[in-house]
Amino acid sequence: MSIQFCGWETYFDGRKHLKPGQQPERGHGYSMYHGTHKDSARAIITSGFRPSAGGTLGQGVYCSRVIQKAMGYPGNCSPNDRVVLLLRVRVGRVKKIDAQNWNLATTWHQNGYDTAWIPPSGGLEEDCVWDPSRLTVVGIAHCTDPGTKSDLEKLIKQHAKSQARADKGTQGNCKVCGKDGGASHSVDKCWGCAERICPFMVKHVCKQRS
């Protein structure tokens, strides 16, 4: 089967890990962490995040690029019941919340931003992402119980496989590009606009940049 390649009009950041104090850039994807109870972790992996109703940065999903920050959450949880999820986060349009912009601490999304970011000024940096679909669980960064960690990692793999199957039509054709899925190929979200894409598409124009 011959494949026509026309290039891609989207982009992502190969530097998945930011340096301390470095501001996330618009439209890029980064590795971050989220602390939760081990029972909640299962629901997050299979059904996605549910945004917090409130907090320092208002409504959204809270995460951090610093694992020590995530390991402190949830606060009312025993350390043995706490799990830190490794995430892939597409930050979209980012608003830095510092002393000069504190008036936007809980209204940043209404002003057109996808993520709010508190820099590490006297503490550990924190991010709040409005849309849960911008976060994908890709691993378990911390779990004191080896059995629980193994079960959660299996669940992550199972969910990824079921998502891949959902992206293929009943006749074995990929729902995204329409080509024969006999030769397996991955389907993922565009880092910029979250549209589902696969490498057999002739072209993808990122809505975030258009």
Side-chain angles (χ1 to χ4, degrees):
M1 178 174 59
S2 62
I3 301 298
Q4 180 184 3
F5 181 73
C6 296
W8 294 82
E9 294 182 31
T10 186
Y11 65 101
F12 70 96
D13 186 3
R15 302 168 300 127
K16 289 187 177 182
H17 295 277
L18 294 171
K19 297 179 181 179
Q22 181 181 357
Q23 182 170 349
E25 298 180 26
R26 175 178 178 175
H28 291 232
Y30 299 102
S31 293
M32 296 189 190
Y33 304 95
H34 176 86
T36 188
H37 191 280
K38 63 182 181 181
D39 293 336
S40 299
R42 293 181 172 86
I44 291 171
I45 292 169
T46 56
S47 304
F49 283 94
R50 289 191 300 175
S52 298
T56 304
L57 295 170
Q59 182 178 339
V61 180
Y62 285 78
C63 53
S64 176
R65 75 187 72 160
V66 183
I67 190 172
Q68 288 81 2
K69 176 76 172 182
M71 287 179 68
Y73 292 89
N76 58 349
C77 179
S78 165
N80 291 332
D81 291 331
R82 186 175 292 139
V83 170
V84 177
L85 304 175
L86 174 62
L87 311 176
R88 185 176 61 197
V89 182
R90 297 174 295 101
V91 294
R93 192 177 181 210
V94 181
K95 181 61 181 177
K96 179 180 178 181
I97 303 296
D98 54 14
Q100 295 179 343
N101 299 308
W102 199 254
N103 62 310
L104 296 177
T106 59
T107 59
W108 46 271
H109 179 68
Q110 290 90 322
N111 285 271
Y113 294 93
D114 302 300
T115 299
W117 172 63
I118 298 179
S121 177
L124 300 175
E125 71 89 38
E126 187 170 36
D127 300 82
C128 183
V129 184
W130 179 267
D131 184 357
S133 69
R134 288 185 169 275
L135 303 96
T136 303
V137 180
V138 296
I140 305 300
H142 172 77
C143 181
T144 59
D145 182 359
T148 298
K149 182 178 181 182
S150 177
D151 290 343
L152 292 175
E153 288 174 337
K154 289 178 182 177
L155 194 60
I156 292 172
K157 292 180 181 179
Q158 291 171 358
H159 182 67
K161 288 181 180 179
S162 64
Q163 185 63 65
R165 285 195 297 269
D167 288 318
K168 293 182 180 180
T170 56
Q171 301 301 319
N173 291 342
C174 174
K175 287 184 178 180
V176 177
C177 70
K179 296 188 181 295
D180 185 2
S184 178
H185 59 273
S186 61
V187 176
D188 210 334
K189 293 179 181 178
C190 169
W191 287 103
C193 66
E195 182 177 333
R196 300 197 69 77
I197 58 177
C198 83
F200 288 90
M201 293 170 61
V202 174
K203 187 177 183 181
H204 169 66
V205 179
C206 179
K207 297 176 183 178
Q208 187 78 14
R209 301 198 62 184
S210 57

